[in-house]
Amino acid sequence: MTGDNLGRGQELVVGALWHGFADMGVVERDGAFVVARGEGAYIWDDAGTRYLDATAGLWFTNVGHGRTEIATAVADQIGKLAHYSNFGDLTSEPTVELAERLATIAPVPGSKIFFTSGGSDSVDTAAKLARRYWQEVGKPTKTLLVGREKAYHGMHVGGTSLAGIPVNGDGYGRLWDDTATVTWDDAKALLALIEKVGADTIAAFFCEPIIGAGGVYLPPDGYLAEIRDICREHDILFVVDEVVTGFGRIGGSWFASSRFDLQPDMVTTAKGLTSGYLPMGAVFIAPRVAEPFFAGGVWWRHGYTYGGHAAAAAAALANLDILERENLLAESARLEKTLHETLAPLADHPRVAEVRSGLGAVAAVQLTDPAEAPEVVKQLRAHGISGRAAGQGALQISPSFVMTDEQVRDLADGFAAALG
């Protein structure tokens, strides 16, 4: 779609760009929402209209928009060396520094850090490593990878196969054999699968502490600890997907794995690692899993051109500086409480089925009629809120940790107005 009233930039966005997760016929008809800049908890569109950013981009802008400190760190690094490679014995100074720093906050002491370009890379890395690990320790039958209903693990082949959102796999056929899905909220479902197929066939169980893109579902009390114990008892690798919850989103802790003492074998991360200022992900690999590969004589033929990107590492280091200096993990814990209290009245609205909140700086306003979600998202914009729908008609809330309590009240008011 083009028109005389559209600038050149809008023509390019509407006419040439293929958006992810979009009905492109609708985008061509209605046009794109062009985000021009951001500062703190706000963004502005290309017409200069300001919006509260309810979702911190796509769950990731933990430190808020417009952090020139990160931009300066990236520019300085690019001026010296943008990137080279981390294959073989090659690396760069900021990449080594970042790995060492992440190891100090890892949920499992002594963890190794494998860098990727994003969350989907991290999930597929963990999936491949889980299967290769069992080969190395002499248990080659352990190949089955298990996920949960509603779960989202990125959109690479492994993550798409693992995920519990059937519509995301529609139209592709079977991408990856040896995957299974169990009920999202009952640990006994994993036990039932173990009894059916045998623990000697299962390589790993993948678990989001808070289900994110599937609709923001919080874990039932005791669920995560029970799953941890089942995996330990049956010698199944426990992979905790913290692409959303990592780096403070869980509220008061670097990771949900630390807050709930999950002792994971691997943790997949991305988003909050750089607060989205540059693409980067990382897999935290516990000593148990890393040991066969660090003993010598084993090549793991896996990696990404931009894994451990030097400029992205500089962004991550500056991002971690801000999180620590401004005590933003505590601010996330504040938001956990404020979101829960401030959004609760929305549950009484006739168009709302429930409000899910109370764990981490996340929430969801579940619409009674999921089909209304696209229109409500547009109404949110009309009332100064940039939001999105997740799962089946859940309006996602995952603000930057710099969002104030007053801004949360503005957010709730905007949601109430958009609902009518």
Side-chain angles (χ1 to χ4, degrees):
M1 171 181 171
T2 60
D4 293 340
N5 62 330
L6 296 179
R8 179 60 177 165
Q10 287 179 304
E11 286 186 15
L12 291 172
V13 169
V14 176
L17 177 63
W18 191 335
H19 299 241
F21 284 90
D23 181 336
M24 287 309 301
V26 172
V27 176
E28 273 207 319
R29 183 193 69 208
D30 296 344
F33 178 63
V34 183
V35 181
R37 68 183 183 94
E39 181 179 341
Y42 292 103
I43 60 170
W44 283 258
D45 66 19
D46 57 341
T49 304
R50 190 184 75 171
Y51 307 83
L52 258 179
D53 183 4
T55 61
L58 196 60
W59 312 90
F60 53 67
T61 315
N62 292 1
V63 300
H65 299 284
R67 294 287 193 160
T68 57
E69 176 181 337
I70 299 177
T72 298
V74 171
D76 289 346
Q77 180 58 44
I78 288 176
K80 293 182 290 187
L81 175 72
H83 184 50
Y84 196 71
S85 170
N86 282 289
F87 289 3
D89 62 352
L90 297 168
T91 191
S92 63
E93 290 182 1
T95 306
V96 172
E97 181 182 352
L98 178 60
E100 294 299 320
R101 188 162 177 180
L102 293 180
T104 67
I105 62 172
V108 177
S111 291
K112 304 296 184 182
I113 312 298
F114 190 96
F115 287 114
T116 70
S117 300
S120 294
D121 283 0
S122 294
V123 169
D124 274 30
T125 294
K128 290 176 67 177
L129 183 56
R131 296 180 66 166
R132 179 65 189 275
Y133 167 78
W134 292 115
Q135 292 279 339
E136 291 302 319
V137 299
K139 297 184 178 181
T141 62
K142 291 176 75 68
T143 60
L144 186 66
L145 304 173
V146 184
R148 298 189 293 162
E149 292 176 349
K150 302 184 186 297
Y152 176 83
H153 296 297
M155 292 308 297
H156 288 352
V157 167
T160 302
S161 301
L162 263 172
I165 307 174
V167 68
N168 284 358
D170 286 352
Y172 301 123
R174 186 68 174 171
L175 294 176
W176 194 341
D177 290 328
D178 286 344
T179 60
T181 304
V182 298
T183 304
W184 76 274
D185 58 352
D186 184 1
K188 300 297 188 295
L190 178 57
L191 276 177
L193 179 67
I194 293 169
E195 292 173 3
K196 178 181 178 181
V197 304
D200 59 345
T201 70
I202 302 176
F205 180 72
F206 284 69
C207 177
E208 294 173 280
I210 295 174
I211 287 176
V216 190
Y217 288 90
L218 311 185
D221 289 344
Y223 173 85
L224 294 173
E226 189 174 358
I227 283 291
R228 174 201 63 202
D229 293 345
I230 290 170
C231 288
R232 288 289 169 267
E233 180 181 352
H234 295 277
D235 203 18
I236 295 167
L237 296 183
F238 186 23
V239 182
V240 181
D241 185 345
E242 299 222 37
V243 171
V244 166
T245 54
F247 303 103
R249 177 65 61 186
I250 196 63
S253 300
W254 283 108
F255 301 98
S257 296
S258 302
R259 178 165 171 172
F260 295 104
D261 188 28
L262 299 184
Q263 304 165 31
D265 294 294
M266 286 184 271
V267 179
T268 58
T269 71
K271 298 187 186 295
L273 174 56
T274 67
S275 282
Y277 279 73
L278 281 179
M280 191 177 216
V283 183
F284 291 64
I285 301 159
R288 169 197 182 187
V289 177
E291 192 278 332
F293 301 91
F294 278 72
V298 176
W299 282 59
W300 187 32
R301 297 184 180 275
H302 176 79
Y304 302 98
T305 299
Y306 300 121
H309 192 281
L317 289 165
N319 176 64
L320 294 173
D321 286 344
I322 294 170
L323 285 165
E324 291 179 343
R325 185 179 67 245
E326 299 183 10
N327 202 17
L328 291 183
L329 270 62
E331 294 301 299
S332 175
R334 169 187 58 80
L335 282 167
E336 175 178 307
K337 182 174 183 289
T338 304
L339 287 170
H340 187 56
E341 294 174 349
T342 307
L343 296 172
L346 292 175
D348 295 330
H349 195 285
R351 297 174 73 184
V352 175
E354 66 173 341
V355 175
R356 295 187 284 272
S357 63
L359 177 61
V362 296
V365 176
Q366 178 66 54
L367 297 178
T368 303
D369 181 359
E372 293 184 345
E375 180 56 33
V376 175
V377 169
K378 289 184 178 180
Q379 287 301 314
L380 283 170
R381 292 176 188 166
H383 292 281
I385 307 293
S386 175
R388 69 184 290 265
Q392 295 298 308
L395 302 176
Q396 172 191 329
I397 299 169
S398 55
S400 300
F401 304 162
V402 299
M403 182 175 281
T404 66
D405 288 352
E406 182 180 359
Q407 289 170 332
V408 172
R409 288 189 287 272
D410 291 343
L411 184 77
D413 290 344
F415 268 73
L419 289 166

